[in-house]
């Protein structure tokens, strides 16, 4: 297993390269969209810009994680990423609305587009996004930051393919309506990204359990640790992207020289949580079976 610091460093480099690739694609497609008068290409540039912002947030989160916590902010500055994600989501909705309005105007009053420029820049977008996907591809067990970046770039690549197809259709059929229609489809993908981003951010702020971690399985895994009789008051929540926290109470029943020590039980429980669920930040309280757990009466 690679040291965590080394892995973090590699992750930051991969994200930084992916961000640069995405920004280059955004500028190129925005300029090409303006030059060719293609709303579909401009829409794809807007989507790439939004995804570049999301990649930037992931990189920002990694770098902020290196800042130490203090007495006032005991979790440090992790939640800044979540607040920025909400702002990014609102920005995405505004972009999609602008594209839809302009697309409607283009449908009512078609405008000519420069197909060669449109096709050339869409092809460049495909190449750049494919390169970014290759850089951030880590497989099923890669970090959440890299996996989400890979999916962002995959969505951009699909949109660029859509722009390329629309350019080819305009060249073959002369139907200028294809350009705004494709822009509507891209606006739909932007709205979907915005909804997903805002929903994930709100779930984090509400301290909901991460969607990829079955809380029932977590409880069962802890209960199966030798020396643990029961698990209760289990809470699993996300502090920021890739950083999941857990707290729980565990009941231990065995006492005496033949029993496992609390240190042994805690070490195994933490190892299970780390290896099976990638939960590193844990707070576990021990109780005996004689301890009367006071229930809160509402």
């Amino acid at each position: 297993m690679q040291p965590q610091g080394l892995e973090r460093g590699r992750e930051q480099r991969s994200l930084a390269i992916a961000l640069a690739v995405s920004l280059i694609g955004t500028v190129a497609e925005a300029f090409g969209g303006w030059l060719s008068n293609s709303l579909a290409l401009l829409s794809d540039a807007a989507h790439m810009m939004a995804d570049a912002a999301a990649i930037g947030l992931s990189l920002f989160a990694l770098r902020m994680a290196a800042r130490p916590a203090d007495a006032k902010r005991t979790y440090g500055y992790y939640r800044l990423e979540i607040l920025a994600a909400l702002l990014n989501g609102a920005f995405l909705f505004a972009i999609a609305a602008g594209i839809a309005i302009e697309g409607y105007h283009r449908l009512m009053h078609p405008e000519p587009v420069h197909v060669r420029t449109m096709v050339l820049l869409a092809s460049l977008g495909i190449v750049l996004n494919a390169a970014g996907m290759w850089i951030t591809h880590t497989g099923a067990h890669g970090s959440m930051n890299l996996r989400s970046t890979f999916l962002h770039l995959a969505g951009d690549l699909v949109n660029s393919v859509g722009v390329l197809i629309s350019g080819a259709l305009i060249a073959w059929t002369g139907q200028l309506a294809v350009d705004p229609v494709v822009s509507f489809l891209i606006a739909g993908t932007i709205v979907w990204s915005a909804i997903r981003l805002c929903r994930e951010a709100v779930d984090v702020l509400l301290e909901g359990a991460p969607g990829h971690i079955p809380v029932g399985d977590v409880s069962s895994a802890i209960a199966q640790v030798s020396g643990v009789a029961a698990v209760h008051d289990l809470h699993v929540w996300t502090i920021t992207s890739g950083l999941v926290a857990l707290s729980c109470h565990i009941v231990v029943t065995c006492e005496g020289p033949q029993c496992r020590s609390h240190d042994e039980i805690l070490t195994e429980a933490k190892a299970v949580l780390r290896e099976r669920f990638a939960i590193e930040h844990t707070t576990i309280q021990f109780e005996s079976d004689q301890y009367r757990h006071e229930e809160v009466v509402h």
Side-chain angles (χ1 to χ4, degrees):
M1 182 179 293
Q2 297 287 346
Q4 187 176 11
L6 181 59
E7 286 296 322
R8 289 279 184 175
R10 289 178 177 175
E11 187 174 347
Q12 286 193 36
R13 285 192 293 274
S14 296
L15 287 174
I17 295 172
L19 177 59
V21 168
S22 190
L23 288 174
I24 291 171
T26 298
V27 173
E29 289 201 350
F31 178 74
W34 172 78
L35 199 63
S36 64
N37 197 35
S38 169
L39 182 59
L41 196 56
L42 286 171
S43 302
D44 192 26
H47 191 262
M48 289 189 71
M49 179 177 65
D51 283 347
I55 297 170
L57 283 175
S58 295
L59 187 58
F60 170 76
L62 280 175
R63 292 186 173 174
M64 290 302 291
R67 298 186 63 176
D70 53 39
K72 185 176 181 180
R73 298 177 181 87
T74 56
Y75 275 128
Y77 296 84
Y78 290 119
R79 286 291 169 89
L80 285 178
E81 181 207 8
I82 308 305
L83 296 176
L86 283 175
L87 291 176
N88 188 22
F91 185 52
L92 284 173
F93 281 117
I95 290 174
I99 292 172
I101 293 171
E102 181 62 23
Y104 174 77
H105 291 158
R106 290 284 184 100
L107 278 177
M108 297 297 100
H109 307 285
E111 297 183 13
V113 298
H114 195 283
V115 175
R116 285 187 178 179
T117 303
M118 183 179 175
V119 169
L120 177 64
L121 270 298
S123 300
L124 177 62
I126 292 172
V127 172
L128 288 174
N129 287 312
M133 290 172 65
W134 179 77
I135 292 167
T136 57
H137 178 67
T138 59
H141 301 291
S143 74
M144 290 180 64
N145 282 320
L146 288 179
R147 280 186 284 139
S148 64
T149 298
F150 178 87
L151 293 175
H152 280 303
L153 294 170
D156 287 333
L157 187 146
V158 171
N159 284 337
S160 295
V161 170
V163 174
L164 184 63
I165 293 173
S166 70
L169 289 175
I170 292 173
W172 291 338
T173 67
Q175 294 294 322
L176 297 176
V178 173
D179 186 58
V181 167
V182 170
S183 73
F184 284 135
L185 296 176
I186 294 175
T189 66
I190 293 175
V191 169
W192 172 251
S193 297
I195 291 174
R196 186 177 62 180
L197 181 64
C198 290
R199 184 178 60 199
E200 290 177 357
V202 170
D203 283 345
V204 170
L205 292 177
L206 292 176
E207 298 190 341
H212 67 287
I213 297 181
V215 177
D217 291 353
V218 174
S219 180
S220 298
I222 298 173
Q224 290 171 7
V225 172
S226 178
V228 176
V231 181
H232 63 90
D233 281 359
L234 174 64
H235 302 279
V236 184
W237 69 98
T238 302
I239 298 174
T240 191
S241 297
L243 181 58
V244 178
L246 173 146
S247 68
C248 69
H249 295 192
I250 61 175
V251 178
V252 292
T253 57
C254 186
E255 296 180 359
Q258 302 302 320
C259 296
R260 302 184 78 192
S261 69
H262 285 187
D263 286 347
E264 290 173 328
I265 295 173
L266 182 61
T267 298
E268 183 177 344
K270 283 179 172 288
V272 168
L273 292 171
R274 181 175 58 252
E275 294 166 6
R276 289 189 54 182
F277 306 102
I279 301 176
E280 296 277 357
H281 190 91
T282 58
T283 304
I284 300 176
Q285 177 176 317
F286 284 83
E287 297 172 0
S288 68
D289 56 348
Q290 291 83 22
Y291 177 79
R292 177 181 174 81
H293 180 67
E294 299 295 339
E295 295 184 358
V296 178
V297 178
H298 296 282

